[in-house]
Amino acid sequence: MQEIFDRMRSPDAVSWNSVISGHANHGTLEDSVNVYRLMLKCSFVNLSRITFSTMLILAIKHASVTLGTQVHGHIWKFGFASYVFVGSPLVDFYSKTRRINDAKHVFDELSDRNSVVYNTMISGFFRCGMPEDSKHLFRKMPETDSVSWTAMVTGLTENGLGSEAVDIFREMILEGFLIDQFAFGSVLTACGGLSALKQGKQIHAYIIRTGYKDNIFVGSALVDMYSKCRSIHYAENVFKQMAHKNIVSWTALIVGYGQNGFSEEALRIFCEMQRNGIYPDDYTLGSMISSCANLASVEEGAEFHGQALVSGLISFITVSNALITLYGKCGSIEDSHKLFNEMHVKDEVSWAALVSAYAQFGKANESIDLFEQMLDKGMKPDGVTFIGVLSACSRAGLVDKGYQYFDSMVKVHGLKPTLGQYSCMIDLLSRAGKLEEAKDFIHKMPCSPDSIGWSTLLSSCRFHNNLEIGKWAADSLLELVPEDPAGYILLSSIYAANGMRDQVSGLRRIMRDKGLIKTPGYSWIKYKNKVHEFSADDRSNPFSDKIYAELDILYTKMIDIGYKPDMNSILHDVEETEKIKMLNHHSERLAIAFGLIFIPAGLPIQVTKNLRVCGDCHNATKFISKIVQREILVRDSTRYHLFKDGTCSCGDFW
């Protein structure tokens, strides 16, 4: 191309613009700029609106502020400032380089504005987080088109104004404008973000009527919308009915399964996707690794780690961040930190993942040190990072430090606390035994705690045996979630610890009348690629005789070195010997005994439990680790416990 151009004696405007466009599409930025400069020097009379438009698009593509502003100067110099065909890419350039005031100035100076430049300005305002300006300009447009309405739906959705996006979409239909795949995709994203299942179904019906149900882009958006609305079966049905599927479609369903707690299904679909000849991109693989993290399955996660290395996807930050979270959730904190150190580029998510991993593992000082390093490097922590570091302070009982970080979140980093951070502060105060202070903190909150906050306070009241505040927390919790048995169970424990058997019986009677059943505790351990699951007093395992014999031996040895069973956690009115037997046959102890029998010496025993480990089992496991001289890793519903030589990594603070 360049050789042919060089042979031309008198190239015209078409020739110059063609060679600039050719380099822009297939060459380097430098090649295009060199031809443009030569044109300015030798043939400026051939400059046209196409020349300037091409150069501005090139500046946008390479995010070159210098090139864009120089071209703007040339536009003024050669008298093209009034051309709307040039004005539109100029507005686009300034908005995409976050110079929105310059974009607005160019827009205002245009004497002739068409719908294209209006749409560009509207999108620019949205891009720079100025939705009110976008809405105002949209309503001032002399004449709107489908692109204008779609820009509004998309911009409102991207700016977190999903409800308004749905309203604009409805208005767009009533006005009779053509709805394309992009408008459908944006409004479905809005419905998913709002968990607006009813509106999502209505839009789905409209999609069917307008013939877009076989559109791959719209189908993928429907799968995503239903998944986010926690209607995974609808998502499955849409996916199955799609005539054509691409990586986006498969990923939408994989992520949907993971978000709805069906991580094993996500694994199955991932394998099916690859059998269909579609291979994962960084987002799909990262989502799959996240599903492994939810399953606490380090084996499958390690396999995906290998796949990331072989495919080269490990270089994507989304994949590396997912792996850091995976290893952290599976108790391999050293692997998390090693991977973190190997990353060439780290973002806020990378730091947040490691801060949270150390916090969950009970290593509060390491978590806090990482957070301070993050700040020193100029990283801006988000709400998730603060939940991690506040949790670390809570685990370590660092009340003053926690207050310091909570205050800095608002005053220094400009973040508005969510219920997540408020719950962390309630946890921090109540775990430290400052229950009155926790009560005062709740009274000063701008909103009432959620069920997690009340449950946290109630659990600590049980631990510290504070009946008065415990009753208040329980009443508040039961008012919020009257069908959740957790409030009744926790309050019963406080009554039992205070010898108030009549009140315990009364609560159990209420539960029975309401048909509420305590969530059963389950623990599981993996051995030779098979998961062995246990419930309390479970005898379904084929090796039950060996397991119970092992527990009897351990119990005798524990008693000999000072273990004393905590009878207060047993609410049933039975003999003391029966209470001891019930404690000794809790699900996590059965899983630990299985591990001691079958997992070779020298290897840690890893157990996962669906509920928070009880105080007596926590104490017993410390004794067991000392007797057998083995590392025992227990992941319960809130954190990791690494038991070693009679101690726990949580410092008995969980």
Side-chain angles (χ1 to χ4, degrees), residues 333-537:
I333 194 69
E334 294 82 5
D335 291 323
S336 281
H337 209 145
K338 181 175 181 291
L339 189 62
F340 178 85
N341 290 335
E342 291 172 351
M343 292 174 68
H344 297 297
V345 179
K346 305 177 182 72
D347 63 5
E348 285 81 358
V349 177
S350 317
W351 286 90
L354 198 60
V355 167
S356 299
Y358 271 111
Q360 191 179 41
F361 207 75
K363 295 182 178 290
N365 292 330
E366 289 88 341
S367 182
I368 292 169
D369 287 344
L370 276 167
F371 182 75
E372 294 292 348
Q373 290 177 41
M374 179 183 181
L375 297 180
D376 290 342
K377 291 184 179 294
M379 292 283 186
K380 184 174 176 60
D382 61 7
V384 175
T385 319
F386 273 104
I387 285 177
V389 75
L390 288 173
S391 296
C393 293
S394 177
R395 286 351 185 221
L398 302 174
V399 175
D400 292 340
K401 196 77 170 175
Y403 266 123
Q404 176 189 327
Y405 286 138
F406 185 80
D407 290 340
S408 73
M409 179 176 66
V410 180
K411 297 174 182 176
V412 178
H413 301 285
L415 295 174
K416 184 179 179 181
T418 64
L419 284 172
Q421 286 95 34
Y422 281 121
S423 292
C424 285
M425 289 301 295
I426 295 170
D427 188 48
L428 171 70
L429 294 169
S430 56
R431 281 177 188 270
K434 297 179 179 292
L435 298 174
E436 288 291 344
E437 197 169 334
K439 184 178 179 181
D440 291 340
F441 181 85
I442 290 172
H443 284 311
K444 293 175 184 176
M445 285 171 55
C447 55
S448 180
D450 59 9
S451 59
I452 296 174
W454 288 119
S455 296
T456 297
L457 179 62
L458 183 53
S459 294
S460 292
C461 288
R462 180 183 65 172
F463 183 80
H464 295 287
N465 197 22
N466 188 311
L467 180 59
E468 180 187 350
I469 296 179
K471 183 72 167 58
W472 173 63
D475 289 342
S476 301
L477 177 62
L478 293 173
E479 183 180 348
L480 191 63
V481 281
E483 303 306 314
D484 187 349
Y488 295 100
I489 299 298
L490 290 168
L491 184 58
S492 293
S493 297
I494 299 176
Y495 283 147
N498 286 273
M500 303 168 69
R501 288 293 168 184
D502 290 343
Q503 285 81 353
V504 172
S505 299
L507 285 176
R508 292 182 67 185
R509 192 180 308 112
I510 293 172
M511 288 181 66
R512 186 169 57 250
D513 293 343
K514 286 178 172 285
L516 301 178
I517 302 173
K518 179 183 176 182
T519 303
Y522 292 99
S523 297
W524 55 94
I525 185 170
K526 197 167 186 178
Y527 175 63
K528 289 187 175 181
N529 293 321
K530 183 179 178 182
V531 175
H532 296 263
E533 186 176 275
F534 299 90
S535 58
D537 207 27

Side-chain angles (χ1 to χ4, degrees), residues 57-196:
I57 292 170
L58 193 64
I60 294 169
K61 178 181 177 182
H62 293 275
S64 176
V65 175
T66 302
L67 175 60
T69 51
Q70 286 177 345
V71 172
H72 190 185
H74 297 152
I75 289 169
W76 273 102
K77 179 179 178 180
F78 294 105
F80 284 85
S82 61
Y83 281 77
V84 70
F85 188 84
V86 175
S88 183
L90 196 54
V91 169
D92 197 34
F93 159 72
Y94 279 124
S95 68
K96 285 181 176 174
T97 53
R98 301 290 171 177
R99 298 174 62 174
I100 193 64
N101 290 331
D102 290 328
K104 189 174 185 303
H105 180 74
V106 171
F107 177 83
D108 290 339
E109 290 296 313
L110 289 171
S111 56
D112 182 27
R113 305 186 193 109
N114 60 12
S115 62
V116 174
V117 74
Y118 268 100
N119 296 340
T120 304
M121 192 69 243
I122 287 170
S123 296
F125 279 135
F126 275 130
R127 187 179 296 113
C128 295
M130 302 167 67
E132 292 303 319
D133 294 84
S134 293
K135 289 188 282 185
H136 178 70
L137 185 60
F138 174 73
R139 295 304 180 187
K140 281 177 58 179
M141 284 183 71
E143 188 176 351
T144 57
D145 57 16
S146 293
V147 177
S148 316
W149 288 87
T150 301
M152 288 299 295
V153 175
T154 302
L156 290 167
T157 300
E158 291 176 348
N159 279 266
L161 301 170
S163 183
E164 291 186 46
V166 175
D167 290 340
I168 282 286
F169 181 81
R170 285 200 190 100
E171 192 177 343
M172 183 180 180
I173 293 173
L174 292 174
E175 292 290 333
F177 284 97
L178 179 68
I179 313 291
D180 63 8
Q181 62 178 7
F182 302 108
F184 279 128
S186 294
V187 76
L188 288 170
T189 299
C191 290
L194 295 167
S195 296

